[in-house]
Amino acid sequence: MIRSEYRSLAACSCGLVVLVCIAGTSVSSDLVPLRLAAFLDQAAPGTLDDQRFVAFQPPLINNAGQVAFAATAGPAGSFYGTNGLWFEGAGQLNLAVLEGTQPAINFSQVNVAYTDQSKLLFQNTSGIWQATPSGVTPVVQTGDPVPGVPGDAFGIIDPPTINNNGTIAFYAAGHRGIWTADNGVLTRVALPGNYPGPELPYFYGGGIPVVDASSKISIADGYGIWSNSRGQFENIAYAFQQAPGFA
């Protein structure tokens, strides 16, 4: 799963409806404004031959009130068509990826994250991708050279996370460690090993990192919880440690 800060939104049978909650209002006594984000038989942006939305999957909504969703686009009046990912940004509905095109994506299990800056993050078997209203770009791909390690290349890339500032964090298998990606620059946070010194617990690697608003990383590797939130990458808690508050 790709994680980020977002709220879920339900789809109705005829389209996607955004509920805009106004701070300080009482749900029981005040009307909640609605906005129709997309609807059946609407022309699907980015498709050819007058393809129209024929089905929707439950979407995401960011804190700016914009939505991102998977949907099916096909000929008018049809119940079948081509799957795709769409998202709102720059005042319009944008196509991120369409089934049968590149980058290829498995629409039977779509994991995405959507930031308040209209950045849509998704992953396929070849790596991590980011879509903005300007286009789709790779973040990191299997086979890309590992920065600072001549002759090494990324292999399996675990699911990433993204914060609302656009900083992406992920773990690369094969002892390649935790990485962040920020404005196209890859930076390694930590490798498997003892942190911060040889007598302290061992970070085995793996897991899904969480990146906060200041781009600090926390991760659980199955044996402990680790973070660089205090400046250095260190263990916060580990397996078989005496749990505080218990005798």
Side-chain angles (χ1 to χ4, degrees):
M1 174 183 289
I2 300 174
R3 300 179 182 177
S4 74
E5 303 244 346
Y6 58 75
R7 294 170 287 176
S8 8
L9 181 69
C12 66
S13 59
C14 57
L16 304 180
V17 179
V18 180
L19 285 75
V20 182
C21 295
I22 302 174
T25 62
S26 169
V27 174
S28 61
S29 60
D30 296 291
L31 295 177
V32 178
L34 301 178
R35 177 173 66 84
L36 185 61
F39 54 91
L40 292 182
D41 204 38
Q42 175 187 354
T47 61
L48 301 176
D49 303 323
D50 195 32
Q51 299 290 291
R52 309 229 162 214
F53 287 128
V54 298
F56 295 102
Q57 297 298 319
L60 306 178
I61 183 170
N62 64 19
N63 290 314
Q66 299 167 319
V67 297
F69 57 90
T72 304
S78 172
F79 293 100
Y80 304 97
T82 303
N83 295 314
L85 284 175
W86 284 266
F87 65 102
E88 291 183 306
Q92 61 187 10
L93 193 57
N94 307 276
L95 174 67
V97 60
L98 196 64
E99 192 173 27
T101 65
Q102 294 298 321
I105 186 171
N106 179 9
F107 280 92
S108 65
Q109 187 177 8
V110 180
N111 294 313
V112 300
Y114 187 40
T115 74
D116 293 351
Q117 286 71 43
S118 306
K119 294 179 179 179
L120 184 73
L121 190 71
F122 63 93
Q123 186 177 21
N124 66 359
T125 54
S126 67
I128 302 168
W129 301 80
Q130 181 174 268
T132 69
S134 299
V136 178
T137 55
V139 176
V140 61
Q141 301 288 287
T142 298
D144 283 355
V146 176
V149 188
D152 197 9
F154 286 107
I156 297 173
I157 300 169
D158 287 350
T161 58
I162 186 171
N163 66 14
N164 265 326
N165 297 321
T167 301
I168 298 163
F170 63 92
Y171 186 84
H175 296 279
R176 293 178 178 88
I178 306 170
W179 294 79
T180 60
D182 198 353
N183 293 319
V185 177
L186 292 175
T187 303
R188 181 146 49 191
V189 176
L191 282 166
N194 297 90
Y195 289 91
E199 302 302 322
L200 292 170
Y202 190 88
F203 172 58
Y204 287 89
I208 300 175
V210 176
V211 55
D212 68 12
S214 60
S215 299
K216 299 298 184 182
I217 304 297
S218 296
I219 191 170
D221 66 350
Y223 299 91
I225 298 173
W226 305 79
S227 179
N228 65 351
S229 61
R230 294 186 287 206
Q232 63 180 357
F233 189 73
E234 61 184 347
N235 180 257
I236 304 300
Y238 59 91
F240 310 115
Q241 173 186 2
Q242 176 67 43
F246 290 85

